Amino acid sequence: MFYALFKKNLSAARERILASGIKTANTRLGKIEYIAFGKGLPVLWIHGIVGGADQGIISSEPLVDRDFRIIAVSRFGYIGSPLPVNATPAAQADLYAALLDALKIPKVAVVGFSSGAPSALQFALRHPDRCSSLILLSGAVPPYTEPPHILRIIAKIFFGSDFIFWILIKYFPSIMMRLMGVPKPVQKRLSAVDKEWLDDTMFSFLPVRLRVNGIINDIWVTNPDLNKGYPFQELTIPTLIIHAVDDPMPSFKTAKRIAAQIPRSKFVTIESGGHLHMGHHLMVRTSITNFILSTKETKASVPVLEQAFT
């Protein structure tokens, strides 16, 4: 019965991917998976670790207004997006531009979450003419300590096993939430709506072995790339950074310091919500919506602004 339940949940996960509307674009720079939904101003939605285009609706629903057209991608090594030899954030950013060419979309607002931040930043730096605004949610920051090689083997076993991941999701959800960056104090005050969203999000990680190559690449290539020293001061795009003080993953202080280096930035502080901004989704949604709408035609320089939410 125990194993039968696992197989049932895994089968449901595979069916969810098939029903998600996921497509593969054959661009001038190679293949990339994506889904597109909604109508209005286009928004490129870049997932974090253990993500994928198939999660686009689940992950963006509480944070992005449905009056936008969301283009959610699968980054290198996730689901059906290939993992090239040169799987760097810069190469990934160029592939985003190629995808926009294939979809005939001239310009987008870009939202990068967690490990999606490096390629979002590279897109804004390398293709500023294609980027109307940049939003970083709990974005990865330097310095990033690359784990020792022995842990790469362990990570491949852990993230390559749907069964191990399913056990954590099904029977140890608190541990899984902490791995997702939701601190225990935040877990204790979750609303029923937030609990349901987290549960759906955790099960959307399955099948995790379809994401293992992307996860490994994020840990040993994508995030360490930030250590090369990104020229944040050269960003010309209006930028919104939203970060929680109690985020156990990327440093809040470093995120705030990076915002100060970006000429046209706004920094929003969440006092307590963890990596996923739990309890503040409506505020995040409003901030993102207002920022995209206010910057779609903005050309003048704007000062660094700060806003805090508790």
Side-chain angles (χ1 to χ4, degrees):
M1 290 294 292
F2 178 76
Y3 191 71
L5 181 57
F6 160 67
K7 296 297 287 184
K8 180 180 179 181
N9 287 164
L10 189 61
S11 178
R14 292 184 181 279
E15 290 176 4
R16 178 189 56 78
I17 292 176
L18 291 175
S20 68
I22 201 165
K23 299 177 181 178
T24 299
N26 293 296
T27 78
R28 56 184 170 79
L29 294 180
K31 295 181 179 180
I32 181 171
E33 278 191 340
Y34 74 97
I35 63 170
F37 53 94
K39 295 181 180 179
L41 294 172
V43 176
L44 184 65
W45 185 261
I46 305 174
H47 65 82
I49 201 165
V50 202
D54 62 306
Q55 300 172 2
I57 294 176
I58 293 175
S59 60
S60 68
E61 192 279 329
L63 303 178
V64 182
D65 196 285
R66 288 286 77 87
D67 289 334
F68 295 122
R69 182 188 179 197
I70 309 297
I71 300 97
V73 296
S74 290
R75 292 189 289 107
F76 288 145
Y78 282 94
I79 312 295
S81 285
L83 181 69
V85 175
N86 180 39
T88 64
Q92 182 72 85
D94 291 344
L95 186 54
Y96 296 154
L99 172 63
L100 296 184
D101 290 341
L103 297 178
K104 295 180 169 48
I105 299 175
K107 208 165 192 176
V108 291
V110 178
V111 178
F113 171 70
S114 193
S115 294
S119 59
L121 283 162
Q122 286 290 351
F123 182 79
L125 287 165
R126 297 168 70 86
H127 305 278
D129 58 319
R130 311 297 298 273
C131 186
S132 59
S133 59
L134 172 66
I135 297 99
L136 302 179
L137 305 177
S138 303
V141 297
Y144 180 85
T145 302
E146 183 178 333
H149 186 74
I150 186 64
L151 290 183
R152 189 178 185 127
I153 299 171
I154 297 171
K156 277 194 173 183
I157 295 172
F158 176 68
F159 291 110
S161 172
D162 290 325
F163 188 60
I164 293 174
F165 226 68
W166 175 79
I167 289 174
L168 274 176
I169 294 168
K170 187 73 177 176
Y171 298 102
F172 303 96
S174 181
I175 293 176
M176 180 58 75
M177 286 182 200
R178 291 183 69 183
L179 290 174
M180 294 166 66
V182 183
K184 273 192 172 182
V186 176
Q187 291 183 32
K188 291 179 180 178
R189 61 173 185 269
L190 290 173
S191 68
V193 172
D194 283 342
K195 286 179 181 178
E196 182 179 1
W197 180 79
L198 272 172
D199 189 59
D200 289 343
T201 298
M202 287 189 288
F203 275 98
S204 76
F205 294 154
L206 295 172
V208 71
R209 65 193 182 96
L210 294 181
R211 311 173 202 274
V212 63
N213 289 334
I215 294 168
I216 299 301
N217 190 66
D218 278 349
I219 297 172
W220 276 274
V221 177
T222 302
N223 290 340
D225 193 73
L226 290 163
N227 297 335
K228 295 178 180 178
Y230 285 21
F232 299 110
Q233 70 283 355
E234 294 179 12
L235 275 170
T236 60
I237 307 303
T239 302
L240 172 67
I241 298 178
I242 303 178
H243 217 98
V245 175
D246 62 347
D247 190 331
M249 295 179 178
S251 164
F252 169 81
K253 290 183 178 179
T254 303
K256 190 172 183 179
R257 187 172 69 247
I258 287 172
Q261 297 176 46
I262 300 173
R264 306 171 66 187
S265 70
K266 177 180 179 180
F267 188 85
V268 174
T269 298
I270 295 177
E271 294 298 336
S272 179
H275 194 57
L276 301 181
H277 305 146
M278 301 311 300
H280 299 281
H281 285 171
L282 180 58
M283 180 279 296
V284 173
R285 183 189 185 104
T286 301
S287 296
I288 291 175
T289 299
N290 291 342
F291 191 77
I292 292 175
L293 293 176
S294 69
T295 57
K296 63 176 182 176
E297 298 296 340
T298 299
K299 298 184 183 299
S301 198
V302 296
V304 174
L305 301 174
E306 287 188 31
Q307 194 168 0
F309 293 86
T310 57

